[in-house]
Coordinates of all heavy atoms in Angstrom, one line a residue:
M1 N 14.1 -73.4 84.8 CA 12.9 -73.0 85.3 C 12.7 -71.5 85.1 O 13.6 -70.7 85.5 CB 12.7 -73.4 86.8 CG 11.6 -72.7 87.5 SD 11.6 -73.0 89.3 CE 10.4 -74.3 89.3
K2 N 11.6 -71.0 84.6 CA 11.3 -69.6 84.4 C 10.7 -69.1 85.7 O 10.0 -69.8 86.5 CB 10.3 -69.5 83.3 CG 9.8 -68.0 83.0 CD 8.8 -68.0 81.9 CE 8.2 -66.7 81.8 NZ 7.2 -66.6 80.7
G3 N 11.0 -67.8 86.0 CA 10.5 -67.2 87.2 C 10.6 -65.7 87.1 O 10.9 -65.1 86.1
Y4 N 10.5 -65.0 88.3 CA 10.4 -63.6 88.4 C 11.2 -63.1 89.6 O 11.2 -63.8 90.6 CB 9.0 -63.1 88.5 CG 8.3 -63.5 87.2 CD1 7.7 -64.7 87.1 CD2 8.3 -62.6 86.1 CE1 7.0 -65.1 85.9 CE2 7.7 -63.0 84.9 CZ 7.0 -64.3 84.8 OH 6.5 -64.7 83.7
K5 N 11.9 -62.0 89.5 CA 12.8 -61.5 90.6 C 12.6 -60.0 90.7 O 12.4 -59.3 89.7 CB 14.3 -61.8 90.3 CG 15.2 -61.4 91.4 CD 16.6 -62.1 91.2 CE 17.5 -61.6 92.3 NZ 17.0 -62.0 93.7
A6 N 12.6 -59.6 92.0 CA 12.5 -58.1 92.3 C 13.8 -57.6 92.7 O 14.7 -58.4 93.2 CB 11.5 -57.9 93.4
F7 N 14.0 -56.3 92.4 CA 15.3 -55.7 92.7 C 15.0 -54.3 93.2 O 14.0 -53.7 92.9 CB 16.1 -55.5 91.4 CG 16.4 -56.7 90.7 CD1 15.6 -57.2 89.8 CD2 17.6 -57.4 90.9 CE1 15.9 -58.4 89.1 CE2 17.9 -58.6 90.2 CZ 17.0 -59.1 89.3
E8 N 16.0 -53.7 94.0 CA 15.9 -52.3 94.3 C 16.2 -51.6 93.0 O 16.7 -52.1 92.1 CB 17.0 -52.0 95.4 CG 16.8 -52.7 96.7 CD 18.0 -52.6 97.6 OE1 18.9 -51.7 97.4 OE2 18.0 -53.4 98.6
K9 N 16.0 -50.3 93.1 CA 16.3 -49.4 91.9 C 17.8 -49.6 91.5 O 18.7 -49.7 92.3 CB 16.1 -47.9 92.3 CG 16.2 -47.0 91.1 CD 15.9 -45.6 91.5 CE 16.0 -44.7 90.3 NZ 15.7 -43.3 90.6
G10 N 18.0 -49.8 90.2 CA 19.3 -50.0 89.7 C 19.7 -51.5 89.6 O 20.9 -51.8 89.4
L11 N 18.7 -52.4 89.7 CA 18.9 -53.8 89.6 C 19.9 -54.3 90.7 O 20.8 -55.1 90.4 CB 19.3 -54.3 88.2 CG 18.2 -54.2 87.1 CD1 18.8 -54.7 85.8 CD2 17.0 -55.0 87.5
V12 N 19.6 -53.9 91.9 CA 20.5 -54.3 93.1 C 19.6 -55.2 93.9 O 18.4 -54.9 94.2 CB 21.0 -53.1 93.8 CG1 21.7 -53.6 95.1 CG2 21.9 -52.3 93.0
C13 N 20.2 -56.3 94.4 CA 19.5 -57.2 95.3 C 20.5 -57.7 96.4 O 21.5 -58.3 96.0 CB 18.9 -58.4 94.6 SG 18.0 -59.5 95.7
R14 N 20.1 -57.4 97.6 CA 21.0 -57.7 98.8 C 22.5 -57.3 98.5 O 23.4 -58.0 98.8 CB 20.9 -59.2 99.0 CG 19.5 -59.7 99.3 CD 19.4 -61.1 99.8 NE 19.9 -61.1 101.2 CZ 20.1 -62.2 101.8 NH1 19.9 -63.4 101.2 NH2 20.5 -62.2 103.1
G15 N 22.6 -56.1 98.0 CA 23.9 -55.5 97.8 C 24.6 -56.0 96.5 O 25.7 -55.5 96.2
K16 N 24.1 -56.9 95.8 CA 24.7 -57.4 94.6 C 24.1 -56.7 93.3 O 22.9 -56.6 93.2 CB 24.5 -58.9 94.4 CG 25.1 -59.5 93.2 CD 25.0 -61.1 93.2 CE 25.6 -61.6 92.0 NZ 25.6 -63.1 92.0
Q17 N 25.0 -56.3 92.5 CA 24.6 -55.6 91.2 C 24.3 -56.6 90.1 O 25.1 -57.5 89.9 CB 25.7 -54.6 90.8 CG 25.4 -53.9 89.5 CD 24.3 -52.9 89.7 OE1 24.4 -52.0 90.5 NE2 23.2 -53.0 89.0
Y18 N 23.1 -56.5 89.6 CA 22.7 -57.3 88.4 C 22.6 -56.5 87.2 O 22.6 -55.2 87.2 CB 21.3 -58.0 88.7 CG 21.4 -59.1 89.8 CD1 21.3 -58.7 91.2 CD2 21.6 -60.4 89.5 CE1 21.4 -59.7 92.1 CE2 21.7 -61.4 90.5 CZ 21.6 -61.0 91.8 OH 21.7 -62.0 92.8
A19 N 22.4 -57.1 86.0 CA 22.2 -56.4 84.8 C 21.3 -57.2 83.9 O 21.2 -58.5 84.0 CB 23.6 -56.3 84.0
E20 N 20.6 -56.5 83.0 CA 19.6 -57.2 82.2 C 20.3 -58.1 81.2 O 21.5 -57.8 80.8 CB 18.8 -56.1 81.4 CG 17.9 -55.3 82.2 CD 17.2 -54.2 81.3 OE1 16.2 -54.6 80.7 OE2 17.7 -53.1 81.3
N21 N 19.6 -59.2 80.8 CA 20.1 -60.1 79.8 C 21.5 -60.6 80.1 O 22.4 -60.7 79.2 CB 20.0 -59.5 78.4 CG 18.6 -59.0 78.1 OD1 17.7 -59.8 78.2 ND2 18.4 -57.8 77.8
T22 N 21.8 -61.0 81.3 CA 23.1 -61.4 81.8 C 22.9 -62.7 82.7 O 22.0 -62.7 83.4 CB 23.8 -60.3 82.5 OG1 23.8 -59.1 81.7 CG2 25.2 -60.7 82.9
V23 N 23.9 -63.6 82.6 CA 23.9 -64.8 83.5 C 24.8 -64.5 84.7 O 25.9 -64.0 84.5 CB 24.4 -66.0 82.7 CG1 24.5 -67.2 83.6 CG2 23.4 -66.3 81.5
F24 N 24.3 -64.9 85.9 CA 25.1 -64.7 87.1 C 25.2 -66.1 87.8 O 24.3 -66.9 87.7 CB 24.4 -63.7 88.0 CG 24.3 -62.4 87.5 CD1 23.2 -62.0 86.7 CD2 25.3 -61.4 87.7 CE1 23.2 -60.7 86.1 CE2 25.2 -60.2 87.2 CZ 24.2 -59.8 86.3
E25 N 26.4 -66.3 88.4 CA 26.6 -67.5 89.1 C 27.2 -67.3 90.5 O 27.9 -66.3 90.7 CB 27.7 -68.4 88.3 CG 27.2 -68.9 87.0 CD 28.1 -69.9 86.4 OE1 28.4 -70.9 87.0 OE2 28.7 -69.5 85.3
E26 N 26.8 -68.1 91.4 CA 27.3 -68.1 92.8 C 27.8 -69.5 93.1 O 27.3 -70.5 92.5 CB 26.3 -67.6 93.8 CG 26.0 -66.1 93.5 CD 25.1 -65.5 94.7 OE1 24.9 -66.2 95.7 OE2 24.8 -64.3 94.5
D27 N 28.6 -69.7 94.1 CA 29.2 -71.0 94.5 C 28.2 -71.9 95.2 O 28.2 -73.1 95.0 CB 30.4 -70.8 95.4 CG 31.5 -70.1 94.7 OD1 31.7 -70.2 93.5 OD2 32.3 -69.4 95.4
N28 N 27.3 -71.3 96.0 CA 26.3 -72.1 96.8 C 24.9 -71.6 96.6 O 24.7 -70.4 96.3 CB 26.7 -72.1 98.2 CG 28.1 -72.6 98.5 OD1 28.4 -73.8 98.2 ND2 29.0 -71.8 99.1
A29 N 24.0 -72.5 96.9 CA 22.5 -72.1 96.9 C 21.9 -72.8 98.0 O 21.8 -74.0 98.1 CB 21.9 -72.5 95.6
K30 N 21.3 -72.0 99.0 CA 20.6 -72.5 100.1 C 19.5 -71.5 100.4 O 19.8 -70.3 100.6 CB 21.5 -72.8 101.3 CG 20.8 -73.5 102.4 CD 21.7 -73.9 103.5 CE 21.0 -74.7 104.6 NZ 21.9 -75.1 105.7
I31 N 18.3 -71.9 100.5 CA 17.1 -71.0 100.7 C 17.4 -70.1 101.9 O 17.8 -70.6 103.0 CB 15.8 -71.8 100.9 CG1 15.4 -72.6 99.7 CG2 14.7 -70.9 101.4 CD1 15.0 -71.7 98.5
C32 N 17.2 -68.8 101.7 CA 17.4 -67.8 102.7 C 18.8 -67.6 103.2 O 19.0 -66.8 104.1 CB 16.4 -68.0 103.9 SG 14.7 -67.9 103.4
E33 N 19.8 -68.2 102.6 CA 21.1 -68.1 103.1 C 22.1 -67.7 102.0 O 22.9 -66.8 102.2 CB 21.6 -69.4 103.7 CG 21.0 -69.7 105.1 CD 21.5 -70.9 105.8 OE1 22.7 -71.3 105.5 OE2 20.8 -71.5 106.6
S34 N 22.0 -68.4 100.8 CA 23.0 -68.1 99.7 C 22.3 -68.4 98.4 O 21.2 -68.9 98.4 CB 24.3 -68.9 99.9 OG 23.9 -70.3 99.8
G35 N 23.0 -68.0 97.3 CA 22.4 -68.2 96.0 C 21.5 -67.1 95.6 O 21.4 -66.1 96.3
M36 N 20.9 -67.2 94.5 CA 20.0 -66.1 94.0 C 18.6 -66.6 94.0 O 18.3 -67.7 93.6 CB 20.4 -65.8 92.5 CG 21.8 -65.2 92.5 SD 22.6 -65.2 90.9 CE 23.1 -67.0 90.8
H37 N 17.7 -65.8 94.6 CA 16.4 -66.2 94.9 C 15.4 -65.5 93.9 O 15.6 -64.4 93.4 CB 16.0 -65.7 96.3 CG 16.7 -66.5 97.4 ND1 18.1 -66.2 97.6 CD2 16.4 -67.5 98.2 CE1 18.5 -67.0 98.6 NE2 17.5 -67.8 98.9
F38 N 14.3 -66.2 93.6 CA 13.3 -65.8 92.7 C 12.0 -66.5 93.0 O 12.0 -67.5 93.8 CB 13.7 -66.0 91.2 CG 13.9 -67.5 90.9 CD1 12.8 -68.1 90.2 CD2 15.0 -68.2 91.1 CE1 13.0 -69.5 89.9 CE2 15.2 -69.5 90.8 CZ 14.1 -70.2 90.2
C39 N 10.9 -66.1 92.4 CA 9.6 -66.8 92.5 C 9.1 -67.3 91.2 O 9.4 -66.6 90.1 CB 8.6 -65.8 93.1 SG 9.0 -65.2 94.8
K40 N 8.5 -68.4 91.2 CA 7.9 -69.0 90.0 C 6.7 -68.2 89.5 O 6.5 -67.9 88.4 CB 7.5 -70.4 90.2 CG 7.0 -71.2 89.0 CD 6.7 -72.6 89.4 CE 6.2 -73.4 88.2 NZ 5.9 -74.8 88.6
R41 N 5.8 -67.8 90.5 CA 4.6 -67.1 90.2 C 4.9 -65.6 90.3 O 5.5 -65.1 91.3 CB 3.5 -67.4 91.2 CG 2.2 -66.8 90.8 CD 1.1 -67.4 91.7 NE -0.1 -66.7 91.3 CZ -1.3 -67.1 91.8 NH1 -1.4 -68.1 92.7 NH2 -2.4 -66.5 91.4
P42 N 4.6 -64.8 89.2 CA 5.0 -63.4 89.2 C 4.7 -62.6 90.4 O 5.6 -61.9 91.0 CB 4.2 -62.8 88.0 CG 4.0 -64.1 87.1 CD 3.8 -65.2 88.0
L43 N 3.4 -62.5 90.9 CA 3.1 -61.7 92.0 C 3.6 -62.1 93.4 O 3.6 -61.4 94.3 CB 1.6 -61.4 92.1 CG 1.0 -60.5 91.0 CD1 -0.5 -60.3 91.2 CD2 1.8 -59.3 90.8
D44 N 4.1 -63.4 93.4 CA 4.7 -63.8 94.7 C 5.9 -63.0 95.1 O 6.3 -62.9 96.3 CB 5.1 -65.3 94.6 CG 4.0 -66.2 94.8 OD1 2.9 -65.8 95.2 OD2 4.1 -67.4 94.5
V45 N 6.6 -62.3 94.1 CA 7.7 -61.5 94.4 C 7.3 -60.3 95.4 O 8.2 -59.8 96.1 CB 8.5 -60.9 93.2 CG1 9.0 -62.1 92.3 CG2 7.7 -60.0 92.4
L46 N 6.1 -60.0 95.3 CA 5.6 -58.8 96.2 C 5.5 -59.2 97.7 O 5.4 -58.4 98.5 CB 4.3 -58.3 95.7 CG 4.3 -57.7 94.3 CD1 2.9 -57.3 93.9 CD2 5.3 -56.6 94.2
K47 N 5.7 -60.5 98.0 CA 5.8 -61.0 99.4 C 7.2 -60.6 99.9 O 7.3 -60.5 101.2 CB 5.6 -62.5 99.5 CG 4.2 -62.9 99.1 CD 4.1 -64.4 99.1 CE 2.7 -64.8 98.7 NZ 2.5 -66.3 98.6
Y48 N 8.1 -60.3 99.1 CA 9.5 -60.0 99.5 C 10.0 -58.6 99.2 O 10.9 -58.1 99.8 CB 10.5 -61.1 98.8 CG 10.0 -62.5 99.1 CD1 9.3 -63.2 98.2 CD2 10.3 -63.1 100.3 CE1 8.9 -64.5 98.4 CE2 9.8 -64.3 100.6 CZ 9.1 -65.0 99.7 OH 8.7 -66.3 99.9
Y49 N 9.3 -58.0 98.2 CA 9.6 -56.6 97.8 C 8.3 -55.9 97.5 O 7.5 -56.4 96.8 CB 10.4 -56.6 96.4 CG 11.9 -56.7 96.6 CD1 12.5 -57.9 96.8 CD2 12.7 -55.6 96.5 CE1 13.9 -58.0 96.9 CE2 14.1 -55.7 96.6 CZ 14.7 -56.9 96.8 OH 16.0 -57.0 96.9
D50 N 8.2 -54.7 98.1 CA 7.0 -53.8 97.8 C 7.2 -53.2 96.4 O 8.4 -53.2 95.9 CB 7.0 -52.7 98.9 CG 6.6 -53.2 100.2 OD1 5.8 -54.2 100.3 OD2 7.0 -52.7 101.2
P51 N 6.2 -52.7 95.8 CA 6.3 -52.1 94.5 C 7.3 -50.9 94.6 O 7.9 -50.6 93.6 CB 4.9 -51.7 94.2 CG 4.0 -52.6 94.9 CD 4.8 -52.9 96.2
C52 N 7.3 -50.2 95.8 CA 8.2 -49.0 95.9 C 9.0 -49.2 97.2 O 8.6 -49.8 98.1 CB 7.4 -47.7 96.1 SG 6.4 -47.3 94.7
D53 N 10.2 -48.6 97.2 CA 11.0 -48.6 98.4 C 10.5 -47.5 99.4 O 9.5 -46.8 99.1 CB 12.5 -48.4 98.1 CG 12.9 -47.1 97.6 OD1 12.1 -46.1 97.7 OD2 14.0 -47.0 97.0
S54 N 11.1 -47.4 100.5 CA 10.7 -46.4 101.6 C 10.8 -45.0 101.1 O 10.2 -44.1 101.8 CB 11.4 -46.7 102.9 OG 12.8 -46.5 102.7
N55 N 11.6 -44.7 100.1 CA 11.7 -43.3 99.6 C 10.8 -43.0 98.4 O 10.9 -42.0 97.8 CB 13.2 -43.1 99.1 CG 14.1 -43.2 100.3 OD1 13.9 -42.7 101.4 ND2 15.3 -43.8 100.1
G56 N 9.9 -44.0 98.1 CA 9.0 -43.8 97.0 C 9.6 -44.2 95.6 O 8.9 -44.0 94.6
N57 N 10.8 -44.7 95.6 CA 11.3 -45.2 94.3 C 10.7 -46.5 93.9 O 10.6 -47.4 94.7 CB 12.9 -45.3 94.4 CG 13.6 -44.1 94.7 OD1 13.4 -43.1 94.1 ND2 14.4 -44.1 95.8
L58 N 10.4 -46.6 92.6 CA 9.8 -47.9 92.2 C 10.9 -49.0 92.2 O 12.0 -48.7 91.8 CB 9.3 -47.8 90.7 CG 8.0 -47.0 90.5 CD1 7.7 -46.9 89.0 CD2 6.9 -47.7 91.2
N59 N 10.6 -50.1 92.8 CA 11.5 -51.3 92.7 C 11.4 -51.8 91.2 O 10.5 -51.4 90.5 CB 11.1 -52.3 93.7 CG 11.6 -51.9 95.1 OD1 12.7 -51.4 95.2 ND2 10.8 -52.2 96.1
E60 N 12.3 -52.6 90.9 CA 12.4 -53.1 89.5 C 12.1 -54.6 89.5 O 12.4 -55.3 90.5 CB 13.8 -52.8 88.9 CG 14.0 -51.3 88.8 CD 15.3 -50.9 88.2 OE1 16.3 -51.5 88.5 OE2 15.3 -49.9 87.5
F61 N 11.5 -55.1 88.4 CA 11.2 -56.5 88.3 C 11.6 -57.1 86.9 O 11.5 -56.4 85.9 CB 9.6 -56.7 88.4 CG 9.1 -56.1 89.7 CD1 8.7 -54.7 89.7 CD2 9.1 -56.8 90.9 CE1 8.2 -54.2 90.9 CE2 8.7 -56.2 92.0 CZ 8.2 -54.9 92.1
C62 N 12.1 -58.3 87.0 CA 12.6 -58.9 85.7 C 12.1 -60.4 85.7 O 11.9 -61.0 86.7 CB 14.1 -59.0 85.7 SG 14.9 -57.4 85.5
E63 N 12.0 -60.8 84.5 CA 11.8 -62.3 84.2 C 13.1 -62.9 84.3 O 14.1 -62.3 83.8 CB 11.1 -62.5 82.9 CG 10.7 -63.9 82.6 CD 10.0 -64.1 81.3 OE1 8.8 -63.7 81.3 OE2 10.6 -64.5 80.3
V64 N 13.2 -64.1 85.0 CA 14.5 -64.7 85.1 C 14.4 -66.2 84.7 O 13.3 -66.7 84.6 CB 15.1 -64.6 86.6 CG1 15.3 -63.2 87.0 CG2 14.1 -65.3 87.6
E65 N 15.5 -66.9 84.6 CA 15.5 -68.3 84.3 C 16.6 -68.9 85.1 O 17.8 -68.5 85.0 CB 15.7 -68.5 82.8 CG 15.7 -70.0 82.4 CD 15.9 -70.2 80.9 OE1 16.1 -69.3 80.2 OE2 15.9 -71.4 80.5
A66 N 16.3 -69.9 85.9 CA 17.3 -70.7 86.6 C 18.0 -71.7 85.6 O 17.3 -72.4 84.9 CB 16.6 -71.5 87.7
L67 N 19.3 -71.6 85.5 CA 20.0 -72.4 84.6 C 20.7 -73.6 85.3 O 21.5 -74.3 84.8 CB 21.1 -71.6 83.8 CG 20.5 -70.4 83.0 CD1 21.6 -69.6 82.4 CD2 19.5 -70.9 82.0
D68 N 20.4 -73.7 86.6 CA 20.9 -74.8 87.4 C 19.7 -75.3 88.3 O 18.6 -74.7 88.2 CB 22.0 -74.3 88.3 CG 22.8 -75.4 89.0 OD1 22.9 -76.5 88.4 OD2 23.3 -75.2 90.1
E69 N 19.9 -76.2 89.1 CA 18.8 -76.8 89.9 C 18.2 -75.6 90.7 O 18.9 -74.8 91.3 CB 19.4 -77.8 90.9 CG 18.4 -78.4 91.8 CD 19.0 -79.4 92.8 OE1 20.2 -79.4 93.0 OE2 18.2 -80.2 93.4
A70 N 16.9 -75.6 90.8 CA 16.1 -74.6 91.5 C 15.6 -75.3 92.8 O 14.8 -76.2 92.8 CB 14.9 -74.1 90.7
L71 N 16.1 -74.8 94.0 CA 15.7 -75.4 95.3 C 14.6 -74.6 95.9 O 14.5 -73.4 95.7 CB 17.0 -75.3 96.2 CG 18.3 -75.9 95.7 CD1 19.4 -75.6 96.6 CD2 18.1 -77.4 95.5
T72 N 13.7 -75.3 96.6 CA 12.6 -74.6 97.3 C 12.3 -75.4 98.6 O 12.5 -76.6 98.6 CB 11.4 -74.4 96.4 OG1 10.4 -73.6 97.1 CG2 10.8 -75.7 96.0
D73 N 11.7 -74.7 99.6 CA 11.2 -75.4 100.7 C 9.7 -75.1 100.9 O 9.1 -75.6 101.8 CB 12.0 -75.1 102.0 CG 12.0 -73.6 102.3 OD1 11.3 -72.8 101.7 OD2 12.7 -73.3 103.3
D74 N 9.1 -74.3 100.0 CA 7.7 -73.9 100.1 C 7.0 -73.8 98.8 O 5.8 -73.4 98.8 CB 7.6 -72.6 100.9 CG 8.3 -71.4 100.2 OD1 8.8 -71.5 99.1 OD2 8.3 -70.3 100.8
N75 N 7.7 -74.1 97.7 CA 7.1 -73.9 96.3 C 6.7 -72.5 96.0 O 5.8 -72.3 95.1 CB 5.9 -74.9 96.1 CG 6.4 -76.3 96.1 OD1 7.4 -76.7 95.5 ND2 5.7 -77.2 96.8
I76 N 7.2 -71.5 96.7 CA 7.0 -70.1 96.4 C 8.3 -69.4 96.1 O 8.4 -68.8 95.0 CB 6.3 -69.4 97.6 CG1 4.9 -70.0 97.8 CG2 6.2 -67.9 97.4 CD1 4.2 -69.5 99.1
K77 N 9.2 -69.5 97.0 CA 10.6 -68.9 96.8 C 11.5 -70.0 96.4 O 11.6 -71.1 97.0 CB 11.0 -68.2 98.0 CG 12.4 -67.5 97.9 CD 12.8 -66.6 99.0 CE 12.7 -67.3 100.4 NZ 13.2 -66.5 101.5
Y78 N 12.3 -69.7 95.3 CA 13.3 -70.7 94.8 C 14.7 -70.1 94.9 O 14.8 -68.9 94.9 CB 12.9 -71.1 93.3 CG 11.7 -71.9 93.2 CD1 10.4 -71.3 93.3 CD2 11.7 -73.3 93.1 CE1 9.2 -72.0 93.2 CE2 10.5 -74.0 93.0 CZ 9.3 -73.4 93.1 OH 8.2 -74.1 93.0
C79 N 15.7 -70.9 94.8 CA 17.0 -70.5 94.9 C 17.9 -71.3 94.0 O 17.7 -72.5 93.8 CB 17.5 -70.7 96.4 SG 19.2 -70.2 96.7
T80 N 18.8 -70.7 93.3 CA 19.7 -71.4 92.4 C 21.1 -70.8 92.4 O 21.3 -69.7 92.9 CB 19.1 -71.3 90.9 OG1 19.9 -72.1 90.1 CG2 19.1 -69.8 90.4
K81 N 22.1 -71.5 91.9 CA 23.4 -71.1 91.8 C 23.7 -70.3 90.4 O 24.7 -69.6 90.3 CB 24.4 -72.2 91.9 CG 24.4 -72.9 93.2 CD 25.6 -73.8 93.4 CE 25.4 -75.0 92.5 NZ 26.5 -76.1 92.7
K82 N 22.8 -70.5 89.4 CA 23.1 -69.9 88.1 C 21.7 -69.4 87.6 O 20.8 -70.1 87.4 CB 23.6 -71.0 87.1 CG 24.1 -70.4 85.8 CD 24.8 -71.5 85.0 CE 25.4 -70.9 83.8 NZ 26.2 -71.9 83.0
L83 N 21.7 -68.0 87.4 CA 20.5 -67.4 87.1 C 20.7 -66.4 85.9 O 21.6 -65.6 85.9 CB 20.0 -66.6 88.3 CG 18.6 -65.9 88.2 CD1 17.5 -67.0 88.3 CD2 18.4 -64.9 89.3
K84 N 19.8 -66.5 84.9 CA 19.8 -65.6 83.8 C 18.8 -64.5 84.1 O 17.6 -64.8 84.2 CB 19.5 -66.3 82.5 CG 19.5 -65.3 81.3 CD 19.3 -65.9 80.0 CE 19.3 -64.9 78.9 NZ 18.9 -65.5 77.6
V85 N 19.2 -63.3 84.1 CA 18.3 -62.1 84.3 C 17.9 -61.6 83.0 O 18.7 -61.3 82.2 CB 18.9 -61.0 85.2 CG1 18.0 -59.8 85.3 CG2 19.3 -61.6 86.6
G86 N 16.6 -61.6 82.7 CA 16.1 -61.0 81.4 C 15.9 -59.5 81.5 O 16.5 -58.9 82.4
A87 N 15.1 -59.0 80.6 CA 14.8 -57.6 80.6 C 13.9 -57.2 81.7 O 13.1 -57.9 82.2 CB 14.2 -57.2 79.2
K88 N 14.0 -55.9 82.1 CA 13.1 -55.3 83.1 C 11.7 -55.3 82.5 O 11.4 -55.0 81.3 CB 13.4 -53.9 83.4 CG 14.7 -53.7 84.1 CD 14.9 -52.2 84.4 CE 16.4 -51.8 84.6 NZ 16.5 -50.4 84.7
I89 N 10.7 -55.7 83.4 CA 9.3 -55.7 82.9 C 8.4 -54.7 83.7 O 7.3 -54.5 83.4 CB 8.7 -57.1 83.0 CG1 8.7 -57.7 84.4 CG2 9.4 -58.1 82.0 CD1 8.0 -59.0 84.6
G90 N 9.0 -54.2 84.8 CA 8.2 -53.2 85.6 C 7.0 -53.9 86.3 O 6.7 -55.0 86.1
I91 N 6.3 -53.1 87.1 CA 5.2 -53.6 87.8 C 4.0 -53.9 86.9 O 3.3 -54.9 87.1 CB 4.7 -52.6 88.9 CG1 3.7 -53.2 89.8 CG2 4.2 -51.3 88.3 CD1 4.2 -54.3 90.8
V92 N 3.9 -53.2 85.8 CA 2.8 -53.5 84.8 C 3.1 -54.8 84.1 O 2.2 -55.7 84.0 CB 2.7 -52.3 83.8 CG1 1.7 -52.7 82.7 CG2 2.2 -51.1 84.4
G93 N 4.3 -55.1 83.8 CA 4.7 -56.3 83.2 C 4.6 -57.5 84.1 O 4.2 -58.6 83.7
L94 N 4.8 -57.2 85.4 CA 4.6 -58.3 86.4 C 3.2 -58.6 86.5 O 2.8 -59.8 86.6 CB 5.2 -57.7 87.8 CG 5.4 -58.8 88.9 CD1 6.5 -59.7 88.5 CD2 5.7 -58.0 90.2
I95 N 2.3 -57.7 86.5 CA 0.8 -57.9 86.6 C 0.4 -58.7 85.3 O -0.4 -59.6 85.4 CB 0.1 -56.6 86.8 CG1 0.4 -56.1 88.2 CG2 -1.4 -56.8 86.6 CD1 -0.1 -54.6 88.4
K96 N 0.9 -58.2 84.2 CA 0.5 -58.9 82.9 C 1.0 -60.4 83.0 O 0.3 -61.3 82.6 CB 1.2 -58.2 81.7 CG 0.8 -58.8 80.4 CD 1.5 -58.1 79.3 CE 1.2 -58.8 78.0 NZ 1.9 -58.3 76.8
A97 N 2.2 -60.6 83.5 CA 2.7 -62.0 83.6 C 1.9 -62.8 84.5 O 1.6 -64.0 84.3 CB 4.2 -62.0 84.1
E98 N 1.4 -62.2 85.6 CA 0.5 -62.9 86.5 C -0.8 -63.3 85.8 O -1.3 -64.5 86.0 CB 0.2 -62.0 87.7 CG -0.8 -62.7 88.7 CD -0.2 -63.8 89.5 OE1 1.1 -64.0 89.6 OE2 -1.0 -64.6 90.1
V99 N -1.4 -62.5 85.0 CA -2.6 -62.8 84.3 C -2.3 -64.0 83.4 O -3.1 -64.9 83.3 CB -3.1 -61.6 83.5 CG1 -4.3 -61.9 82.6 CG2 -3.6 -60.5 84.5
E100 N -1.2 -63.9 82.7 CA -0.8 -65.0 81.8 C -0.5 -66.3 82.5 O -0.7 -67.4 82.0 CB 0.3 -64.6 80.9 CG 0.0 -63.5 79.9 CD 1.2 -62.9 79.2 OE1 2.3 -63.4 79.4 OE2 1.0 -62.0 78.4
Y101 N 0.0 -66.2 83.7 CA 0.3 -67.3 84.5 C -0.9 -68.2 84.9 O -0.9 -69.4 84.8 CB 1.0 -66.9 85.8 CG 1.5 -68.0 86.7 CD1 2.7 -68.6 86.5 CD2 0.7 -68.4 87.8 CE1 3.1 -69.7 87.3 CE2 1.1 -69.5 88.6 CZ 2.3 -70.1 88.4 OH 2.7 -71.1 89.2

């Protein structure tokens, strides 16, 4: 399943370091508890991350792909044990992806 994920500056999410064009795996996936979270619709990520952090640094956005089962309880936020992080698309790319969506 294709989706979108937001990160703090440096591709960090909840203390975990990510990298572009890389596959990441975790042992468990449970909404809001474990696994790697993402949104199917591009602008839905803004419900969880603002475009900028509290210091004015731009947050980062990437297209992602769930390579394992994608779990959801609201059809907005999804969670998986295996996630491929694509290239950074920035806020402009996120908006463009929303228009295409």
Side-chain angles (χ1 to χ4, degrees):
M1 166 188 260
K2 179 180 169 180
Y4 299 86
K5 183 165 180 59
F7 303 87
E8 297 170 15
K9 187 176 179 179
L11 289 180
V12 174
C13 181
R14 301 187 77 191
K16 182 175 180 172
Q17 180 68 61
Y18 289 85
E20 293 178 84
N21 303 308
T22 305
V23 175
F24 296 88
E25 291 188 65
E26 293 192 5
D27 293 333
N28 299 302
K30 187 172 183 183
I31 294 291
C32 297
E33 289 185 24
S34 62
M36 294 162 286
H37 294 75
F38 65 96
C39 295
K40 183 177 178 182
R41 186 172 181 172
L43 290 186
D44 281 346
V45 301
L46 298 178
K47 294 177 182 179
Y48 307 99
Y49 272 80
D50 290 327
C52 296
D53 67 17
S54 59
N55 296 319
N57 297 309
L58 287 175
N59 284 320
E60 299 179 319
F61 304 93
C62 292
E63 188 172 281
V64 298
E65 182 180 0
L67 301 177
D68 193 29
E69 180 181 17
L71 308 171
T72 187
D73 61 2
D74 62 5
N75 293 318
I76 295 172
K77 181 169 53 174
Y78 292 80
C79 180
T80 188
K81 293 190 295 186
K82 190 171 186 178
L83 189 72
K84 179 180 181 185
V85 176
K88 292 182 205 175
I89 60 172
I91 190 71
V92 172
L94 194 67
I95 293 166
K96 182 180 176 190
E98 178 71 18
V99 171
E100 293 171 359
Y101 182 83

